[in-house]
Amino acid sequence: TVTNGKVSIRCATEGASIGYKVVGEDGVSSESWSVYQKPIVVAEGSRLLVRGHRIGFLGSEVVEVGAFD
């Protein structure tokens, strides 16, 4: 969800961690994933790649969300 310009991410799997990457309007993303801890600001025109992880479970598929404006 987006509230006051910040994106909040949730995972239905209890105890899972959420990893994310921000892909800029130019298509360039950071090389590593960040662990989601609190709502994040995503620049206009950017996309968000999100994946859930939990020890002992297979990781989720990568979900792409965007563009934010």
Side-chain angles (χ1 to χ4, degrees), residues 1-67:
T1 59
V2 180
T3 306
N4 297 326
K6 293 185 179 180
V7 179
S8 296
I9 308 167
R10 294 181 289 152
C11 181
T13 303
E14 186 176 334
S17 295
I18 300 171
Y20 72 93
K21 279 186 174 188
V22 177
V23 180
E25 194 172 11
D26 57 3
V28 176
S29 71
S30 60
E31 291 185 26
S32 61
W33 291 80
S34 297
V35 176
Y36 176 79
Q37 296 179 0
K38 62 182 180 179
I40 56 174
V41 175
V42 180
E44 184 176 330
S46 296
R47 295 172 290 129
L48 194 59
L49 303 178
V50 181
R51 184 172 189 190
H53 300 271
R54 181 174 174 192
I55 294 174
F57 291 75
L58 293 174
S60 72
E61 293 184 22
V62 175
V63 176
E64 183 175 334
V65 183

